[in-house]
Amino acid sequence: MSGTTAAAPPAPDDLVAPVAPGGDARSITHVLPALGDALGVDVPGGAAARSLLGLPDARRVCVVLVDGLGHLNLAERGGHAPFLRSLLAGSEPLVTTFPSTTATAVAAFGTGRGPGTTAMLGYTVRVPATGRLGNLVSWTDMPPAAQWQPHPTVLERLAAAGVAVTSVGPARFQGSGLTAAALRGATYAPAESLTQRVDGVLRALREPGLAYLYWHDVDKTGHHHGWGSWQWGEALTELDGELARLARSLPRDTLLVVTADHGMVDVDPSRRRDVATDPVLGAGVATTGGEPRALHLHVTSGTDPGDVAARWRDALADDAVVRTRDEAVAAGWFGPVDARVLPVVGDVVVATTGAATVVDSRTQTPASIALPGVHGSMTAREMLVPLLVHR
């Protein structure tokens, strides 16, 4: 790392400005371009990104993305993770995307671009050609991945430059729409357990190159039990033990980087509102995309988005930040927005605060509505992710 003194991160309930690709704020979009430059490949923005992140040259790189491991979550539960805690000391967090959710953030990580150019704008998005809600994680009701997200990935650029690039993850993600949109270009090595994935990385890095490892269980446990639960602590302990083994076992000329896509908050059911049953919130709203912490509201024909936004502001008060599409785009919530992406953004965009959520039982299952741990909004606990470096 650069050796600079890290500024104190914002308090967990403070709102954090979303990622601005190409800016000088350390963000998730900088990680892969910086690592490409560390490997000696000319990646757009790579040299500036590597300088910003303070990463050294390397012949081999292992980058681990832990789903749901926020910087503040890790700092507050670090007693369960002695290895990661040792890397956390003196490190500076990165800022992720808005929405702070997997499909959006992994696409930004994989392409070095913000959601305004990738069109990866939430857990679900309204597809302009059909008017239906598509799911960016399962890739249901979506166009082909390369059509929806046409920009080259960093892994594609590395592979084209002759770098051996391996992606290690679950078999169900091999060839999936999300993988094709965000991480295409790597040789995929399916592995299920964390132990098997670590072993897969070690095999891949017997030769110089880059290996990417994805692990989901921290996020899954947090969703079902809350990140403050003992179960989340156990998931973190399992992760820490295997990553410590990985660090001990990698060749000596390997740069190991651990980061995440987003953090997590535990929410309060008493502060949950339902668009389907609330006449104030539901009026004039045809489709609700996104997720309970970050909503894209598409209004009915003839409805003024400004009126809907004003009504939501009055109804939610301090529980949300509400903007029209034009206001959210002008504020840089999605970074630069391509013309083809603009209709995917909601007519009204809502970021909840504190422990509040807004759900829509017309399109969301009771189980998903009841999850105690969620993410997607702009609080520091959701937006700040770790950048942990070991050599």
Side-chain angles (χ1 to χ4, degrees), residues 6 87 147 150 181 213 252 283 320 328 331:
L87 302 180
Q147 175 184 328
L213 187 156
R252 293 178 63 85

Side-chain angles (χ1 to χ4, degrees), residues 127-283:
V127 179
T130 64
R132 301 178 64 181
L133 279 183
N135 188 305
L136 291 179
V137 175
S138 64
W139 214 263
T140 52
D141 295 318
M142 292 294 301
Q147 175 184 328
W148 186 261
Q149 197 302 97
H151 299 286
T153 73
V154 179
L155 300 186
E156 281 183 301
R157 296 182 186 276
L158 296 181
V163 175
V165 181
T166 306
S167 179
V168 183
R172 68 183 184 278
F173 286 177
Q174 185 170 10
S176 73
L178 178 55
T179 298
L183 299 164
R184 57 182 177 258
T187 298
Y188 201 90
E192 300 307 321
S193 72
L194 182 54
T195 297
Q196 291 168 339
R197 293 185 203 180
V198 167
D199 290 344
V201 166
L202 294 174
R203 283 192 296 272
L205 289 179
R206 289 171 183 166
E207 301 296 331
L210 180 144
Y212 164 73
L213 187 156
Y214 169 81
W215 184 240
H216 65 283
D217 206 50
V218 171
D219 181 72
K220 178 181 177 182
T221 304
H223 278 307
H224 289 284
H225 301 284
W227 78 270
S229 66
W230 65 263
Q231 292 94 334
W232 195 89
E234 287 197 345
L236 181 59
T237 297
E238 179 195 10
L239 170 74
D240 189 74
E242 281 299 313
L243 292 188
R245 180 173 73 89
L246 174 64
R248 292 193 303 269
S249 306
L250 284 167
R252 293 178 63 85
D253 60 353
T254 304
L255 179 64
L256 171 62
V257 173
V258 181
T259 188
D261 51 353
H262 56 75
M264 183 168 286
V265 295
D266 291 347
V267 292
D268 182 353
S270 70
R271 295 176 66 185
R272 179 192 304 143
R273 306 282 287 271
D274 188 348
V275 176
T277 59
D278 188 313
V280 175
L281 298 184

Side-chain angles (χ1 to χ4, degrees), residues 9-385:
D13 286 339
D14 288 350
L15 300 185
V16 174
V19 57
D24 57 3
R26 295 157 49 94
S27 81
I28 196 169
T29 61
H30 291 120
V31 176
L32 280 184
L35 293 176
D37 191 77
L39 287 166
V41 178
D42 184 12
V43 177
R50 182 154 74 107
S51 176
L52 190 63
L53 301 187
L55 300 179
D57 292 336
R59 293 185 70 237
R60 306 167 214 252
V61 167
C62 174
V63 58
V64 178
L65 190 143
V66 183
D67 200 328
L69 185 66
H71 178 85
L72 294 176
N73 302 128
L74 175 60
E76 294 178 34
R77 302 294 304 274
H80 294 272
F83 170 67
L84 294 176
R85 187 176 69 241
S86 72
L87 302 180
L88 189 66
S91 72
E92 297 178 58
L94 305 176
V95 178
T96 191
T97 56
F98 175 79
S100 51
T101 194
T102 298
T104 308
V106 169
F109 168 81
T111 64
R113 293 173 170 268
T117 60
T118 65
M120 306 288 283
L121 282 165
Y123 180 70
T124 61
V125 291
R126 181 182 175 274
V127 179
T130 64
R132 301 178 64 181
L133 279 183
N135 188 305
L136 291 179
V137 175
S138 64
W139 214 263
T140 52
D141 295 318
M142 292 294 301
Q147 175 184 328
W148 186 261
Q149 197 302 97
H151 299 286
T153 73
V154 179
L155 300 186
E156 281 183 301
R157 296 182 186 276
L158 296 181
V163 175
V165 181
T166 306
S167 179
V168 183
R172 68 183 184 278
F173 286 177
Q174 185 170 10
S176 73
L178 178 55
T179 298
L183 299 164
R184 57 182 177 258
T187 298
Y188 201 90
E192 300 307 321
S193 72
L194 182 54
T195 297
Q196 291 168 339
R197 293 185 203 180
V198 167
D199 290 344
V201 166
L202 294 174
R203 283 192 296 272
L205 289 179
R206 289 171 183 166
E207 301 296 331
L210 180 144
Y212 164 73
L213 187 156
Y214 169 81
W215 184 240
H216 65 283
D217 206 50
V218 171
D219 181 72
K220 178 181 177 182
T221 304
H223 278 307
H224 289 284
H225 301 284
W227 78 270
S229 66
W230 65 263
Q231 292 94 334
W232 195 89
E234 287 197 345
L236 181 59
T237 297
E238 179 195 10
L239 170 74
D240 189 74
E242 281 299 313
L243 292 188
R245 180 173 73 89
L246 174 64
R248 292 193 303 269
S249 306
L250 284 167
R252 293 178 63 85
D253 60 353
T254 304
L255 179 64
L256 171 62
V257 173
V258 181
T259 188
D261 51 353
H262 56 75
M264 183 168 286
V265 295
D266 291 347
V267 292
D268 182 353
S270 70
R271 295 176 66 185
R272 179 192 304 143
R273 306 282 287 271
D274 188 348
V275 176
T277 59
D278 188 313
V280 175
L281 298 184
V285 176
T287 305
T288 305
E291 45 233 297
R293 293 282 291 177
L295 300 93
H296 291 274
L297 309 180
H298 297 274
V299 303
T300 56
S301 178
T303 298
D304 183 351
D307 291 343
V308 173
R311 189 165 60 250
W312 277 61
R313 287 190 193 104
D314 289 343
L316 297 177
D318 292 338
D319 278 346
V321 179
V322 182
R323 297 288 184 264
T324 64
R325 175 192 290 147
D326 290 346
E327 291 168 343
V329 169
W333 282 17
F334 311 107
V337 179
D338 291 347
R340 71 177 185 90
V341 177
L342 199 58
V344 185
V345 179
D347 298 306
V348 177
V349 186
V350 181
T352 61
T353 58
T357 53
V358 180
V359 302
D360 188 342
S361 58
R362 296 173 298 183
T363 56
Q364 296 164 6
T365 66
S368 67
I369 289 171
L371 292 174
V374 295
H375 50 79
S377 192
M378 295 183 187
T379 68
R381 205 182 296 282
E382 292 160 284
M383 292 290 290
L384 298 181
V385 297

